[in-house]
Amino acid sequence: MADQIQPDIYSLPTSPPNFDRVGTFYVAFCATWTFLLILGMVFLITNRSNPILKVRGIGLSLTAIAFLHVYWILAQITYPIGLTMPIIAAYTVQYFFMGIWFPLGVAMFHASNTRFLYVAKLQKRYTESSDFQRKPGCNGASTSWLCRLRNLDYPTRILIYIGLGIIVQILLTVGMWLACSKYHPAFGIAGTGLPNAPLDVQIVELGRGWEWWPTALWQAIWTWIIAPIMIWKAWGIRDTLGWRFQTIGCCLSNLHATPLWLISMYVPAFEPVNKYFSSSEWIHLSVMMFEIFAVFVPCWLVVRHRSLRKRAAESNARWDTASQTTLRTSTTVQWKSASHMEKGLALELLDPEMGDRLFTMNALDHVLTENPGPLQEFSALRDFSGENIAFLTRVASWKSSWPSATDEDQIRDVFTRALVIYTSFISPRDAEFPLNLSSQDLKRLESIFESPARILCGEARLDPATPFAVDADGSAKEQGRSGDDWIELSEVAGRIQYAGEISDAFDATVFDSAQKHIKYLVLTNTWPKFVTEIQERRRSSESGRSDRTAGSHSSLASRISNFIHSIF
């Protein structure tokens, strides 16, 4: 078909850069936005230990943003300097970027978004009842490769899926480029070259055709199948971290991209627009929205979180001494009154007039001691930090069970239970959500528990809730990790006992430093959100009741109970 192709398009001379007002705007806007984006990404990396960012696993999302932004830059400089390249080379670069680079970036970005659903699902475990049983899993060390794949941790599995998908996409993209002779008239399938038409028609045909179908189909799947599914699954999750808002915002902002990209290429009415705003720019509007929701919104949330932590710390310092006296001397009236208590929460806790006087360690200790259930549910389902409250309650229970007269068997029993706590909440190798401890505390606990943990758990990363398995004779064995496995910790510790060497540094205070650190994190992170939300809803509930007639005669305790049930 080479004789049907006008050869001048392949030898079309290049043009100088087009720095008119539009071209200058594109360059200036591209440089400014890129600079701001880099500042935002550096800010997030610097604050990656912040609870809002740590649970997100920002590494994958920032890598995806970097991929997408490179393609975004390419689109912004097309108008001012695109004609400085040979036209065939320019369209070839666009073809491969849209066929390989852009799909890889979007795949990684959606993979980072699915972590939201994954974390929300796992955090629900901290609200399960004690009789929740372990589902049968498979031992990845001795069974099929499917089981070994299932036993990998979530980020690794996602990266494997992305790798397999991008390999298929690369093969399709390269294969169709080799088959399409419009980009290389010397070879290719007959009939796939450019039509014998005017030059402007041939240029238009370079940007559309059957070789673009895999990219269009791929975009349609992500934007109109995967994204709506993500929106539907995330809609009922009400977190305090802005993660749901980010996920839904990214999915919604991407819905317009593929339809408008196709319309702008095939509808003649868009030709005047395409001269200054290319067809791919409709896709890059989505990229900008991704960057806003994945970079700038988390930056704002981190700043707001700092303000909240500062307020909680100052309130604790200002009110803690006074609140200790008040709570200890009037527990009968304020905290212990059965008529004014529901689920371990006092009337004063719900009273908006208390303001920030409840942002104290003493108030937190009271709720943790009396009934941590509502706080546990809030931290798991709303704040995605259920491991913190679970750790505090488990450690308190463990310390209260420390025997007064200790023989060797009793020491090994309490050490085994402590080892379960370590592997479930602290160990970076075993815990699904390792606690945010200082390096000093972590190293000290690792020196005491890491060797015994490796003896019982093996070298592989296991399910944090099922670090031990038991044979029929009661002996412990190594078990493969499965994302669906879960078993009550106390039940595990009651069926096995560690028989190896115990560190001399192990005693009843082994978790005290970590407990103090995590309790302060809860005080300055989860606790003020918990108290503030309940007070706001109480205020709203009271306002609604004030508009009703005086026909209701339900008791105060009943109203508080109904209110608490409406929250949780």
Side-chain angles (χ1 to χ4, degrees):
M1 300 298 294
D3 57 338
Q4 298 181 359
I5 301 175
Q6 294 185 359
D8 55 337
I9 193 172
Y10 298 99
S11 58
L12 193 67
T14 59
S15 302
N18 185 12
F19 289 118
D20 58 7
R21 291 183 179 181
V22 177
T24 303
F25 168 79
Y26 272 119
V27 172
F29 176 70
C30 179
T32 303
W33 186 261
T34 301
F35 175 72
L36 294 176
L37 183 68
I38 291 175
L39 286 182
M41 295 175 71
V42 170
F43 180 82
L44 294 182
I45 294 172
T46 304
N47 293 274
R48 61 189 178 275
S49 60
N50 186 286
I52 291 178
L53 303 179
K54 188 173 183 179
V55 70
R56 278 173 161 85
I58 62 172
L60 189 58
S61 63
L62 292 187
T63 302
I65 289 296
F67 269 82
L68 294 173
H69 192 72
V70 169
Y71 185 37
W72 181 87
I73 292 176
L74 183 66
Q76 307 316 306
I77 63 177
T78 296
Y79 180 88
I81 67 173
L83 295 179
T84 61
M85 295 178 61
I87 190 168
I88 296 297
Y91 274 92
T92 300
V93 170
Q94 181 182 2
Y95 172 79
F96 278 105
F97 262 88
M98 185 168 285
I100 298 177
W101 191 271
F102 179 66
L104 177 60
V106 175
M108 295 177 67
F109 188 77
H110 277 283
S112 69
N113 279 338
T114 60
R115 179 176 169 83
F116 169 63
L117 303 177
Y118 172 75
V119 169
K121 177 182 178 181
L122 288 188
Q123 283 287 331
K124 288 182 180 179
R125 292 177 173 179
Y126 295 111
T127 66
E128 299 288 350
S129 59
S130 60
D131 58 351
F132 192 83
Q133 298 297 321
R134 178 172 58 90
K135 297 179 181 180
C138 58
N139 188 342
S142 61
T143 52
S144 69
W145 65 271
L146 286 175
C147 282
R148 290 195 295 270
L149 179 62
R150 179 191 175 198
N151 287 344
L152 293 173
D153 61 344
Y154 178 77
T156 303
R157 292 203 311 271
I158 287 295
L159 291 177
I160 290 176
Y161 297 150
I162 291 175
L164 294 175
I166 203 62
I167 288 174
V168 174
Q169 183 69 16
I170 289 174
L171 293 177
L172 280 174
T173 303
V174 174
M176 299 186 80
W177 182 83
L178 292 174
C180 186
S181 62
K182 69 167 65 173
Y183 301 103
H184 38 74
F187 62 92
I189 298 176
T192 60
L194 291 172
N196 188 7
L199 185 62
D200 57 343
V201 175
Q202 293 189 16
I203 293 175
V204 171
E205 289 300 319
L206 280 174
R208 61 189 185 187
W210 58 272
E211 72 275 10
W212 295 90
W213 293 351
T215 298
L217 177 62
W218 183 90
Q219 291 183 48
I221 291 175
W222 278 112
T223 57
W224 285 96
I225 297 179
I226 303 299
I229 291 175
M230 288 284 296
I231 294 173
W232 177 69
K233 289 185 175 181
W235 199 260
I237 302 174
R238 307 287 178 174
D239 68 290
T240 63
L241 307 178
W243 205 354
R244 169 184 176 268
F245 173 74
Q246 170 187 325
T247 302
I248 294 178
C250 290
C251 292
L252 288 176
S253 64
N254 198 32
L255 294 178
H256 76 279
T258 303
L260 284 175
W261 173 59
L262 294 173
I263 291 172
S264 63
M265 284 196 304
Y266 290 97
V267 176
F270 269 78
E271 291 180 3
V273 178
N274 294 341
K275 182 179 179 181
Y276 300 100
F277 195 83
S278 64
S279 299
S280 64
E281 287 285 9
W282 297 105
I283 296 175
H284 296 298
L285 284 178
S286 297
V287 174
M288 290 187 64
M289 296 305 297
F290 286 170
E291 293 168 350
I292 291 173
F293 285 112
V295 177
F296 296 117
V297 169
C299 286
W300 174 74
L301 291 172
V302 169
V303 173
R304 190 183 68 170
H305 179 255
R306 285 181 176 178
S307 176
L308 179 65
R309 292 188 63 176
K310 182 180 179 181
R311 176 193 174 193
E314 292 176 348
S315 298
N316 179 62
R318 183 169 62 253
W319 294 104
D320 195 46
T321 302
S323 66
Q324 290 178 15
T325 303
T326 302
L327 294 175
R328 290 172 182 171
T329 59
S330 58
T331 53
T332 302
V333 176
Q334 293 183 330
W335 291 89
K336 298 293 186 180
S337 175
S339 62
H340 290 166
M341 291 286 293
E342 189 69 36
K343 291 189 175 183
L345 297 176
L347 175 63
E348 282 70 22
L349 182 62
L350 301 175
D351 188 358
E353 299 301 325
M354 290 288 288
D356 60 358
R357 283 176 289 178
L358 284 166
F359 296 168
T360 62
M361 186 67 74
N362 195 60
L364 173 61
D365 282 336
H366 177 83
V367 170
L368 288 174
T369 301
E370 291 299 316
N371 193 336
L375 181 58
Q376 177 70 77
E377 289 190 20
F378 179 89
S379 64
L381 302 181
R382 303 291 306 279
D383 206 45
F384 294 161
S385 58
E387 69 277 4
N388 292 333
I389 308 301
F391 170 76
L392 293 176
T393 55
R394 298 287 171 83
V395 168
S397 175
W398 174 80
K399 291 176 69 174
S400 66
S401 66
W402 188 278
S404 55
T406 56
D407 55 26
E408 183 178 354
D409 287 340
Q410 290 175 323
I411 287 293
R412 293 193 178 279
D413 179 65
V414 294
F415 182 83
T416 302
R417 293 179 178 275
L419 191 57
V420 172
I421 294 175
Y422 171 80
T423 56
S424 302
F425 299 105
I426 297 172
S427 172
R429 304 180 65 176
D430 302 312
E432 192 72 56
F433 300 101
L435 297 177
N436 191 7
L437 299 177
S438 66
S439 58
Q440 181 179 358
D441 285 339
L442 180 60
K443 289 179 181 179
R444 183 178 63 84
L445 292 172
E446 284 180 336
S447 67
I448 298 173
F449 294 107
E450 187 60 25
S451 294
R454 299 283 65 81
I455 293 174
L456 288 177
C457 299
E459 296 301 322
R461 187 169 185 262
L462 305 180
D463 190 319
T466 58
F468 314 119
V470 182
D471 282 324
D473 60 359
S475 60
K477 66 178 180 180
E478 182 178 340
Q479 176 172 314
R481 180 179 179 273
S482 171
D484 294 329
D485 291 345
W486 175 262
I487 194 169
E488 179 64 18
L489 298 178
S490 59
E491 182 181 336
V492 174
R495 289 159 49 191
I496 65 172
Q497 187 178 88
Y498 175 71
E501 183 179 354
I502 298 176
S503 172
D504 295 334
F506 174 74
D507 56 22
T509 66
V510 67
F511 291 121
D512 281 4
S513 180
Q515 185 182 25
K516 181 179 179 181
H517 178 74
I518 295 302
K519 189 178 292 185
Y520 188 77
L521 285 181
V522 172
L523 176 71
T524 56
N525 290 276
T526 306
W527 178 248
K529 299 175 189 176
F530 175 69
V531 173
T532 300
E533 178 167 313
I534 290 183
Q535 289 180 339
E536 289 177 352
R537 296 199 178 192
R538 167 74 188 281
R539 186 181 296 110
S540 176
S541 178
E542 290 292 341
S543 176
R545 278 199 294 268
S546 66
D547 296 333
R548 301 173 188 171
T549 60
S552 174
H553 300 284
S554 59
S555 67
L556 178 62
S558 176
R559 294 200 303 269
I560 295 176
S561 177
N562 292 336
F563 168 70
I564 292 293
H565 281 291
S566 70
I567 295 177
F568 300 106

